[in-house]
Amino acid sequence: MNRSGGDDQHRKIVFTTQSVDGESEAVVTLQEHKDPMRPPFLINVSTRPRDQQLPFSPPEKRETHVIISSGSGHGLADEFFSSAVRPILESIYGETGIEGLKVHATESPTSILELTDAVLFPAANEGRPLRIILLSGDGGIVDFVNGLSSKTPNPQTYIPPQVVILPLGTANALYHSINAGRYDAWGLPALTSWKAKPLPTFKATFSPGARLLIDEGRKEQELPKDAQGNGILHGAVVASWGMHASLVGDSDTTEYRKHGVERFKMAAKEALYPADGSPPHPYKGKVSVLKEGDQWTALPEKEHMYILATMVSHLEKPFCISPASKPLDGSMHLVHFTPRSGDEVMGIMNKAYDGGKHVEDGDVRYESIDGLRIEFEGKEEDGRWRRICVDGKIVRLEKEGWVEVRRVKEGSGKGVLDVVVSGQ
């Protein structure tokens, strides 16, 4: 894969893909958008015979679904599919092969969960190999993970679906973490990669009164329950409380979303510099971490500003929250610091945009953990300070509520989902 210049330097992306039958290969030429947050334009796809001297292993035949998350990010998934992805898929699968692809466009926030429940999990559970091309943000992956994890798979027959991530969301944390340090071609080279790795996940268990906030926080609904009546969510990116959870919750509105990833910075200014001139809110509660073994250790601090457990390195392309995290390595890291002024918080956060240098700050606790537990103990009266973020979903806890987050360790059974990684 390479980039070429022209009048506007570094504006073209060129890469080669091979057809699924190994008879031909396609040369794909893309034009980068002037706005780096928007996907590139397809200029041309030209097909030529493949060099038969090169080794070729036919890919495993997989039932292939394309899922277009129409509302993700800037709302460009439909356009990107029709203008770029579909022509590339036609060159890969051929005219007859592409007719076998099943294309689904989301119609509501629950579309992916419903599709997983009705179609994808039953197929995977019967032992049918699936490949899912997902034009979405992190929310689409989270819905898959939760939809698949909420079922009890047959250990003898279940085959984890493979997912190709095309990053059409706002932050695309999982995609940018998997592809950190590589040139960004919006996941398109993965369309002809057959190499996949298990997606590491975590499980968040909530006290029984916790509620999922929906419709821009105006409504709430029950969480899926475990046998003890506790709420359950599964994630693959991040679980947080404090400033990060507040920023995600406050900025999850139609108005804020118009600004793309800038919405987080806009919400941060409002949170860190309250209109009445007061300092940022100190979040009160008991925070404990789980290390090797099964022993919880409480942090000595009773007030907090930023509490985040992450399975990824980047929360957005330039924002490196956990520099020690490697792609899909299954580790979980804690990032934590206590209350301070708005300027001091911004100073720490800006270091994350500088390659993750915030973790070198003596005021930041950064360590590998197996779990995180937060207990409110009645210390926060206002529900807005009791919001927990799990991969962009916001859960509000009751005054005496708690949440316990544990990474799912390797060897505890098959993963629910595999992620296709590009060899480019």
Side-chain angles (χ1 to χ4, degrees):
M1 178 164 46
N2 62 63
R3 303 166 72 184
S4 60
D7 294 335
D8 193 357
Q9 192 66 21
H10 304 305
R11 303 309 294 179
K12 284 184 182 174
I13 308 166
V14 182
F15 64 91
T16 304
T17 71
Q18 60 185 23
S19 63
V20 293
D21 61 9
E23 295 299 316
S24 62
E25 62 182 19
V27 180
V28 179
T29 306
L30 301 158
Q31 180 90 21
E32 288 183 330
H33 198 287
K34 290 179 180 177
D35 178 354
M37 302 305 295
R38 291 175 178 256
F41 306 103
L42 179 67
I43 297 176
N44 186 49
V45 182
S46 59
T47 304
R48 64 192 183 196
R50 189 182 71 85
D51 184 348
Q52 298 299 315
Q53 302 303 311
L54 295 175
F56 173 74
S57 299
E60 175 189 26
K61 284 195 171 4
R62 282 183 171 255
E63 179 182 313
T64 303
H65 296 258
V66 179
I67 300 179
I68 304 167
S69 182
S70 303
S72 289
H74 291 280
L76 299 173
D78 294 275
E79 177 188 324
F80 188 51
F81 176 71
S82 59
S83 65
V85 179
R86 187 179 180 90
I88 295 171
L89 290 175
E90 286 175 348
S91 70
I92 296 169
Y93 286 87
E95 288 185 14
T96 54
I98 197 168
E99 290 173 4
L101 271 59
K102 300 172 175 63
V103 180
H104 316 267
T106 61
E107 297 175 353
S108 77
T110 58
S111 289
I112 292 179
L113 279 170
E114 291 163 3
L115 180 66
T116 304
D117 188 49
V119 177
L120 303 178
F121 176 80
N125 206 36
E126 290 171 5
R128 282 154 54 192
L130 299 180
R131 187 174 175 90
I132 296 154
I133 299 168
L134 180 65
L135 289 80
S136 173
D138 295 310
I141 291 286
V142 176
D143 284 342
F144 270 137
V145 169
N146 277 282
L148 295 170
S149 301
S150 65
K151 308 289 189 297
T152 303
N154 183 327
Q156 273 73 46
T157 58
Y158 182 82
I159 297 177
Q162 289 182 355
V163 62
V164 176
I165 303 172
L166 304 185
L168 271 293
T170 302
N172 305 299
L174 184 61
Y175 170 82
H176 288 306
S177 296
I178 293 171
N179 294 281
R182 295 181 174 183
Y183 182 65
D184 183 10
W186 287 72
L188 295 172
L191 291 172
T192 49
S193 172
W194 312 106
K195 181 182 178 184
K197 294 183 177 180
L199 176 65
T201 61
F202 63 85
K203 179 180 178 181
T205 305
F206 296 86
S207 48
R211 294 289 184 272
L212 179 67
L213 300 185
I214 58 172
D215 191 20
E216 301 184 3
R218 290 185 289 257
K219 298 177 184 174
E220 55 181 49
Q221 68 181 34
E222 295 231 345
L223 291 163
K225 296 287 197 294
D226 66 10
Q228 289 73 43
N230 298 317
I232 296 291
L233 277 180
H234 299 265
V237 179
V238 66
S240 72
W241 173 46
M243 193 183 79
H244 178 267
S246 292
L247 298 189
V248 174
D250 291 345
S251 67
D252 189 17
T253 67
T254 303
E255 190 56 39
Y256 265 118
R257 282 188 174 276
K258 292 176 184 175
H259 301 280
V261 78
E262 285 296 311
R263 69 187 175 103
F264 301 118
K265 294 179 183 177
M266 293 165 65
K269 286 183 179 177
E270 292 186 16
L272 295 176
Y273 303 99
D276 63 3
S278 63
H281 178 77
Y283 294 80
K284 304 174 189 70
K286 179 182 177 183
V287 176
S288 304
V289 295
L290 184 67
K291 294 293 198 74
E292 285 301 321
D294 206 31
Q295 190 67 41
W296 290 94
T297 304
L299 303 189
E301 299 88 357
K302 304 301 181 189
E303 294 188 345
H304 318 269
M305 176 60 66
Y306 198 92
I307 312 96
L308 180 143
T310 181
M311 304 283 288
V312 301
S313 58
H314 290 68
L315 294 185
E316 51 187 90
K317 188 175 182 180
F319 191 81
C320 181
I321 192 64
S322 178
S325 298
K326 305 304 178 196
L328 303 171
D329 67 356
S331 68
M332 175 181 280
H333 284 79
L334 172 74
V335 181
H336 172 273
F337 56 87
T338 53
R340 56 207 61 234
S341 71
D343 285 350
E344 289 171 322
V345 173
M346 289 297 282
I348 292 173
M349 290 292 92
N350 283 335
K351 291 178 185 177
Y353 285 100
D354 187 18
K357 289 196 170 71
H358 62 294
V359 303
E360 299 167 11
D361 190 308
D363 290 330
V364 175
R365 179 185 274 105
Y366 178 59
E367 58 187 350
S368 176
I369 60 173
D370 283 339
L372 174 70
R373 183 177 173 90
I374 297 160
E375 300 165 81
F376 287 111
E377 302 179 321
K379 294 173 181 174
E380 288 288 8
E381 289 289 334
D382 191 333
R384 68 181 294 202
W385 311 126
R386 302 193 305 268
R387 291 179 296 176
I388 303 292
C389 172
V390 174
D391 289 11
K393 295 183 184 296
I394 298 295
V395 179
R396 185 167 57 216
L397 277 63
E398 65 277 29
K399 281 177 65 174
E400 298 289 340
W402 52 266
V403 59
E404 188 172 295
V405 177
R406 291 178 183 246
R407 72 181 182 93
V408 178
K409 296 185 179 181
E410 294 176 20
S412 55
K414 288 181 187 174
V416 295
L417 196 63
D418 289 347
V419 177
V420 175
V421 292
S422 170
Q424 304 249 8

